[in-house]
C-alpha cells in the first residue's frame, strides 16, 4: 500500500509477448508462495491489466488461471452490512489484516488467456469475491479503500504504524516473514 502503481489504473496489454508470459509465470509462483488466492500485476510493480487466481474449496477441484485485459460484470451487492465471519477479505498489498466488505455474489469476467484465447469466467460466492478484488487492483483500488468508515480509519492507523502508505515498501514471499 502506498506505492503509486497500486493506486492508478493499469495499462491495457496490447501484445502477449514472451515478457508477458514470463511475468505471468512469475506471478503464479509469487501467488503460490505468498500464499494468496489472487495476484494482480500492479502488486508486483507492473502496471498491466493482468491477474492470476487460485482457489480450492474444501471438497472441490483446484480452480486457477490468468486473465488478461479482463472485463467484469456483476450483480448488485445485497444491501446491509457485511458479516465479519463470512465476508472478510485480506490482501497481499495490505498484509496480515482482514476486514469485512460486502461484495456482489455473482460475476462474469471475460478477457483473454496466455495464448490469447478467449476467457469467460462465471462464478459466485468466494470465487466472485476474488474476481472483484483482483479486478479492483487493475483500477488502482485496494479493498481497504472500500471499507466502511470505522474499518477504514482502523486500516489507516495500521498503515501509519507500519510505515506503509509511501512508495517503495515491499515484501518478498519466501524471504520476508509476513502473511497476507
Ligand atoms: Zn489484493
Amino acid at each position: 500500500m502506498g506505492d503509486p502503481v497500486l493506486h492508478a489504473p493499469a495499462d491495457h496489454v496490447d501484445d502477449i509477448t514472451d515478457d508477458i508470459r514470463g511475468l505471468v509465470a512469475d506471478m503464479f509462483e509469487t501467488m503460490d508462495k505468498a500464499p494468496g488466492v489472487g495476484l494482480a500485476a500492479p502488486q508486483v510493480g507492473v502496471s498491466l491489466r493482468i491477474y492470476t487466481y487460485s482457489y480450492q474449496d474444501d471438497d472441490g477441484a483446484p480452480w486457477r488461471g490468468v486473465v488478461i485485459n479482463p472485463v467484469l460484470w456483476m450483480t448488485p451487492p445485497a444491501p446491509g452490512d457485511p458479516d465479519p465471519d463470512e465476508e472478510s477479505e485480506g490482501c497481499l498489498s495490505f498484509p496480515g489484516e482482514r476486514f469485512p466488505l460486502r461484495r456482489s455474489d455473482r460475476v462474469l469476467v471475460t478477457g483473454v488467456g496466455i495464448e490469447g484465447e478467449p476467457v469467460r469466467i462465471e462464478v459466485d460466492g468466494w470465487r466472485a469475491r476474488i474476481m472483484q478484488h483482483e479486478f479492483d487492483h487493475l483500477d488502482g483500488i485496494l479493498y481497504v479503500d472500500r471499507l466502511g468508515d470505522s474499518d477504514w480509519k482502523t486500516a489507516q492507523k495500521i498503515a501509519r504504524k507500519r510505515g506503509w502508505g509511501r512508495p517503495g515498501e515491499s515484501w518478498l514471499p519466501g524471504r520476508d516473514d509476513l502473511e497476507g
Side-chain angles (χ1 to χ4, degrees):
M1 181 205 184
D3 202 291
V5 71
L6 284 172
H7 303 281
D11 292 332
H12 186 268
V13 177
D14 293 327
D15 292 305
I16 301 173
T17 59
D18 284 348
D19 281 352
I20 296 290
R21 282 184 278 270
L23 168 68
V24 169
D26 280 352
M27 286 172 62
F28 273 112
E29 194 183 335
T30 302
M31 173 178 69
D32 290 343
K33 205 146 205 174
V37 294
L39 186 72
Q43 295 185 275
V44 292
V46 179
S47 180
L48 286 173
R49 303 190 74 82
I50 304 172
Y51 67 76
T52 58
Y53 59 91
S54 179
Y55 178 67
Q56 186 161 15
D57 272 333
D58 292 342
D59 52 354
W63 175 73
R64 49 196 277 128
V66 57
V67 195
I68 298 170
N69 298 329
V71 177
L72 173 81
W73 286 269
M74 54 186 172
T75 54
D81 291 328
D83 174 351
D85 292 330
E86 300 289 329
E87 301 179 72
S88 285
E89 61 188 71
C91 180
L92 299 172
S93 298
F94 201 96
E97 302 296 332
R98 296 178 76 78
F99 290 100
L101 178 63
R102 178 58 50 89
R103 295 279 196 181
S104 171
D105 192 52
R106 187 158 191 84
V107 302
L108 167 65
V109 175
T110 61
V112 295
I114 198 69
E115 306 297 338
E117 78 281 14
V119 166
R120 182 188 164 90
I121 303 165
E122 206 173 342
V123 285
D124 58 14
W126 199 260
R127 290 172 172 80
R129 178 179 296 274
I130 294 168
M131 293 291 114
Q132 291 165 79
H133 181 114
E134 299 312 326
F135 186 87
D136 270 353
H137 275 302
L138 307 184
D139 283 341
I141 298 167
L142 295 187
Y143 88 103
V144 290
D145 300 332
R146 292 193 180 276
L147 298 177
D149 274 355
S150 127
D151 284 337
W152 186 86
K153 280 180 191 144
T154 305
Q156 300 307 312
K157 258 183 227 159
I158 290 168
R160 259 200 312 276
K161 213 162 101 187
R162 299 194 184 159
W164 299 344
R166 57 170 186 246
E169 292 293 313
S170 69
W171 67 284
L172 186 65
R175 187 194 68 191
D176 299 320
D177 184 22
L178 269 175
E179 56 174 77

